[in-house]
Amino acid sequence: MSVVTNTTTIGAIDAPSRRNTELVLLAFAVVIPVFAYANVGLAMTGEMPTGMIGYGLGLGLLAGVAHLVVRKFAKYADPLLLPLATLLNGLGLVLIWRLDQSARLINRAEQRFGAFSPDAPKQLMYSAIGIALLIAVLLILKDHRILQRYTYISMAAALFLLILPMFFPAVNGAKIWVSLGPFSIQPGEFAKIIIAIFFSGYLMVKRDALALASRRFMGMYLPRGRDLGPILVVWVMSILILVFETDLGTSLLFFGLFVIMLYVATERTSWIVFGLLMSAAGAVGVATFESHVQQRVNAWLDPFACYDKLGACEQIAQGLMSFGSGGVLGTGLGQGDSDLIGFAANSDFILSTVGEEFGLAGTMAFLLIYGLIVERGVRTALAARDPFGKLLAIGLSGAFAIQVFVVAGGVMGLIPLTGMTMPFVAAGGSSVIANWALIGILIRISDTARRPAPAPAPSPDAEMTQVVRP
């Protein structure tokens, strides 16, 4: 007796999309800020705030629309990126609204500008624009590898955005803003994304030459002279930005991003050592001649020595005092005095409000959320199937991590103050819009990386395999 069986090709098992997991996490990401909003109102006035329902519905609507778009157009995306960003954005709105209620800040604004304009409504509008940009990224960018075609165009666009603020007046000592009437934009926030696209496309082509050709010196593999060209150009550009725009934060972000991506592409530790040495040499050289950078370095070395001179010294000293008064568990939302920092309380120094009112535990929780976003970005880079996607994901994650480090380090006194804004939390339209776009690109890359490979189509010419069993 014989049995003839047909063997057919079995398609890949469909991987779970994890969209329901994302929906549950989004619910928590909306509920937690709403409870924080109520906590602020009860602490400051003893009553439930009147705008709590509207705030909750607005944040929930934005998160829900973003979830539906991800569910439809990025089914296999990482389920944590959107909830984590929503949680930070929501808590940032609460902190900004809490500072808007400060009588001291209102009086200062009225004395200085003649009127007080709350920042929370504007930040909610910017958040809506940012989520709209995330949706546009997912709808338009069907495959992240399309960006590779625009490698050198992105370089030109990034240079244009970085140079443009030089032609506009300085704001608080740094030329990082472009002002057009009542509107202003910080091009550096968008330039970091475009620079990551350029570096990804460039290093994907040049990584073999940068990794294999080198000379050994004092236990390190140093690159050849002709291979030093790209890193020297980026180093010079970062120094020029620091000199002409007196913008320490963008220079650190720009150069640090390139060194990280260069190390990932070549796996040469010598690039990191060489990059750190060049970065230190450039920073010391500029700090020696640039007065604005000197002031920030002096304020970092001893903020209490120049406390009476206002400016960066006063802000850093008050920031350190706010961290100290917060203790381990904090004073409670709405019960701190971080508004004494002044106009920078809801932008550069909003982490001081977190440190005072949430305490050390709350600050570590905020930094952990940032760390989780970076971790999911790195995991996306590891899962990506193409080298361009790997480099782009690690570049965007690295840029995000560097920005968090330089802001938190400057406010806590670990490094000189840079003037950058805390992603998603601090007030600022350019920052929140650009970071939502960054999350959108990471979601697209993670969707491509986690999407199961399609099953091969059966060939009509395939012959039947006969298995004869006695």
Side-chain angles (χ1 to χ4, degrees), residues 126 179-184:
Y126 293 141
S179 300
L180 299 173
F183 301 99
S184 59

Side-chain angles (χ1 to χ4, degrees), residues 28-287:
F28 281 102
V30 172
V31 169
I32 292 173
V34 171
F35 273 104
Y37 195 102
N39 196 349
V40 172
L42 291 172
M44 299 190 74
T45 64
E47 300 177 353
M48 295 291 286
T50 56
M52 185 181 70
I53 297 178
Y55 166 73
L57 291 176
L59 184 62
L61 179 62
L62 293 175
V65 172
H67 169 73
L68 292 176
V69 173
V70 172
R71 181 181 285 269
K72 175 67 175 179
F73 296 98
K75 180 180 178 181
Y76 297 99
D78 190 291
L80 289 181
L81 287 171
L82 182 60
L84 290 172
T86 302
L87 178 60
L88 285 174
N89 201 165
L91 290 174
L93 287 167
V94 172
L95 292 172
I96 295 170
W97 178 76
R98 173 261 178 276
L99 292 169
D100 283 345
Q101 311 309 306
S102 168
R104 283 181 290 220
L105 284 180
I106 295 175
N107 293 333
R108 281 187 182 183
E110 290 177 346
Q111 293 173 3
R112 185 175 179 182
F113 304 107
F116 173 74
S117 176
D119 289 318
K122 293 184 289 186
Q123 187 71 4
L124 182 59
M125 179 189 68
Y126 293 141
S127 301
I129 296 174
I131 292 179
L133 184 57
L134 175 142
I135 293 172
V137 168
L138 295 178
L139 294 178
I140 298 173
L141 188 64
K142 302 297 184 181
D143 191 335
H144 64 273
R145 288 169 291 189
I146 297 175
L147 298 174
Q148 186 181 348
R149 305 174 186 172
Y150 307 101
T151 297
Y152 292 99
I153 294 177
S154 62
M155 177 189 68
L159 291 177
F160 174 76
L161 290 176
L162 291 173
I163 294 173
L164 191 60
M166 294 183 186
F167 304 99
F168 289 83
V171 178
N172 299 322
K175 292 186 176 182
I176 59 177
W177 295 94
V178 173
S179 300
L180 299 173
F183 301 99
S184 59
I185 187 172
Q186 191 172 349
E189 292 287 348
F190 300 93
K192 67 183 179 184
I193 301 175
I194 303 175
I195 288 173
I197 295 173
F198 163 67
F199 286 160
S200 301
Y202 178 82
L203 293 175
M204 193 189 74
V205 177
K206 301 292 185 180
R207 59 178 179 173
D208 291 338
L210 294 169
L212 300 178
S214 59
R215 295 179 180 179
R216 187 177 178 86
F217 177 75
M218 296 182 63
M220 295 188 304
Y221 287 96
L222 297 179
R224 298 180 305 180
R226 60 187 176 187
D227 295 330
L228 284 177
I231 196 170
L232 288 175
V233 170
V234 173
W235 179 70
V236 171
M237 288 173 57
S238 65
I239 296 301
L240 291 177
I241 293 171
L242 184 56
V243 171
F244 290 105
E245 299 183 4
T246 60
D247 183 12
L248 181 61
T250 302
S251 299
L252 290 174
L253 177 63
F254 184 35
F255 190 71
L257 172 61
F258 182 69
V259 172
I260 289 175
M261 297 185 68
L262 194 58
Y263 169 72
V264 171
T266 62
E267 299 182 10
R268 292 288 189 185
T269 309
S270 56
W271 282 110
I272 291 186
V273 176
F274 191 72
L276 290 176
L277 291 176
M278 293 182 67
S279 179
V284 171
V286 173

Side-chain angles (χ1 to χ4, degrees), residues 280-456:
V284 171
V286 173
T288 305
F289 302 102
E290 182 58 50
S291 60
H292 180 73
V293 179
Q294 282 181 347
Q295 293 174 2
R296 295 208 166 184
V297 172
N298 293 333
W300 166 59
L301 293 175
D302 193 354
F304 294 96
C306 54
Y307 181 79
D308 57 341
K309 297 180 181 179
L310 304 180
C313 289
E314 181 193 38
Q315 292 175 350
I316 294 177
Q318 289 178 337
L320 294 176
M321 287 188 284
S322 67
F323 281 111
S325 63
V328 177
L329 298 178
T331 59
L333 268 172
Q335 302 181 60
D337 294 308
S338 60
D339 54 323
L340 288 170
I341 297 175
F343 69 91
N346 62 3
S347 54
D348 300 18
F349 283 85
I350 198 166
L351 191 64
S352 299
T353 303
V354 176
E356 183 173 8
E357 301 188 355
F358 287 90
L360 176 63
T363 304
M364 293 303 297
F366 267 78
L367 295 179
L368 179 61
I369 297 173
Y370 283 115
L372 284 174
I373 292 178
V374 176
E375 186 272 337
R376 303 312 294 187
V378 173
R379 182 183 289 268
T380 296
L382 293 173
R385 301 185 181 101
D386 62 295
F388 177 78
K390 288 180 180 293
L391 287 173
L392 183 56
I394 201 68
L396 294 176
S397 304
F400 191 85
I402 292 173
Q403 184 168 351
V404 172
F405 169 75
V406 297
V407 176
V411 174
M412 295 179 180
L414 182 63
I415 61 174
L417 191 65
T418 61
M420 299 186 74
T421 54
M422 206 70 177
F424 292 114
V425 176
S430 301
S431 178
V432 70
I433 293 172
N435 282 296
W436 272 117
L438 184 149
I439 294 295
I441 298 175
L442 284 178
I443 287 175
R444 171 55 67 207
I445 298 174
S446 66
D447 173 62
T448 305
R450 297 179 69 247
R451 185 182 302 148

